[in-house]
Amino acid sequence: MVNVLILEDDPIIALDIKSIVETLPRFHAFIASDTPSAMKIAHKYRLHVVLADIQIKGSIDGIETAQMLQQLYHSHVIFLTSFSDEETLKRASSISITGYILKPFREEELIASLRLCALRIQETSAFIDIGKGYVYSIKHQQLYLNDVPVILAAKEQQLFLLLLHNRGKIVPLSYIDEVIWSNSVISDTARRQLMHRLRTKLPELSFEVVKYSGYKLND
């Protein structure tokens, strides 16, 4: 099954895209109109493809949201938008994308980009060897300890993946808040409690709290 997240704030367009996606065998589509709902879907389901408009609801746009999802879940990204100005293209180019399709789009072009994603997904078999017996499967989006799945709650997994993909670097508190809480007002206590739970579940790994700055997963 190839799970596709449609990031689109126009419900009529979103449903039209969903109907096209689900004409393909083994493709299933989910719809989100903003970043918080997109993050919830991405954690609940194994997300493979992000099909994103650029202008969506909320303060975080489609490019930023797609970048977050790609960093966290190694999702393939296709932009489906009416924007083609140089500044937008420059921002979009900072992400590894499979397609950039302009509205109004041709159904054949969208289907071709989705099939290309499916082929690339089939070829993906990478594992990240974290050390101390921990391995992260990119294909299955699952953390293992000595071949046994490690169960993390949604926010725990998001924080872990942020730190993993920036290993050895400090991840700023502001970016953590943006990705995990979508810039909602969050207390220091809630953030510390999340880190404490992660440390408790992954005691063999070295997490560092850099005071007033951010968190880091040490090498």
Side-chain angles (χ1 to χ4, degrees):
M1 182 68 70
V2 178
N3 289 329
V4 179
L5 173 65
I6 300 166
L7 189 56
E8 169 63 65
D9 62 358
D10 185 315
I12 296 175
I13 295 175
L15 288 171
D16 183 39
I17 295 170
K18 186 176 190 291
S19 68
I20 294 171
V21 171
E22 293 187 341
T23 61
L24 293 168
R26 302 188 71 252
F27 274 73
H28 187 67
F30 305 89
I31 296 173
S33 61
D34 56 24
T35 304
S37 55
M39 299 303 288
K40 289 178 183 177
I41 291 169
H43 182 76
K44 186 174 182 180
Y45 303 96
R46 188 182 301 161
L47 187 63
H48 302 102
V49 181
V50 179
L51 189 55
D53 192 2
I54 289 175
Q55 186 174 329
I56 58 173
K57 291 180 180 178
S59 60
I60 305 174
D61 70 9
I63 294 177
E64 291 178 273
T65 305
Q67 187 174 40
M68 291 175 189
L69 293 168
Q70 188 171 78
Q71 184 178 44
L72 288 171
Y73 303 107
H74 297 272
S75 305
H76 296 266
V77 174
I78 301 170
F79 286 116
L80 185 57
T81 181
S82 58
F83 292 90
S84 59
D85 58 279
E86 187 174 347
E87 180 60 29
T88 300
L89 291 171
K90 184 177 180 181
R91 291 184 59 223
S93 69
S94 65
I95 305 173
S96 175
I97 60 176
T98 303
Y100 194 101
I101 303 173
L102 290 176
K103 298 176 180 176
F105 63 91
R106 293 186 299 111
E107 183 174 330
E108 296 82 1
E109 187 177 7
L110 176 57
I111 288 175
S113 293
L114 289 169
R115 285 176 171 166
L116 179 58
C117 286
L119 290 172
R120 290 179 175 176
I121 291 164
Q122 289 176 2
E123 295 169 356
T124 301
S125 59
F127 289 85
I128 300 174
D129 186 353
I130 301 168
K132 308 289 186 180
Y134 288 98
V135 172
Y136 183 76
S137 167
I138 293 174
K139 183 173 184 177
H140 298 103
Q141 298 176 8
Q142 176 65 54
L143 177 66
Y144 297 89
L145 174 60
N146 298 323
D147 298 325
V148 178
V150 177
I151 306 303
L152 298 175
K155 287 182 171 59
E156 293 167 358
Q157 178 163 339
Q158 289 168 357
L159 178 57
F160 170 71
L161 291 174
L162 273 181
L163 299 177
L164 174 62
H165 298 316
N166 293 278
R167 192 168 190 176
K169 301 176 183 177
I170 298 171
V171 180
L173 297 177
S174 59
Y175 187 63
I176 292 171
D177 292 352
E178 182 180 38
V179 172
I180 297 179
W181 287 281
S182 301
N183 279 335
S184 299
V185 178
I186 186 69
S187 68
D188 291 337
T189 300
R191 205 186 293 113
R192 287 196 299 268
Q193 288 175 343
L194 178 60
M195 173 53 78
H196 174 74
R197 294 198 302 272
L198 191 60
R199 281 174 154 172
T200 300
K201 290 188 176 183
L202 309 175
E204 296 85 358
L205 298 181
S206 175
F207 296 100
E208 182 179 348
V209 176
V210 183
K211 196 172 184 180
Y212 306 124
S213 182
Y215 299 148
K216 180 170 69 169
L217 174 60
N218 291 313
D219 294 328

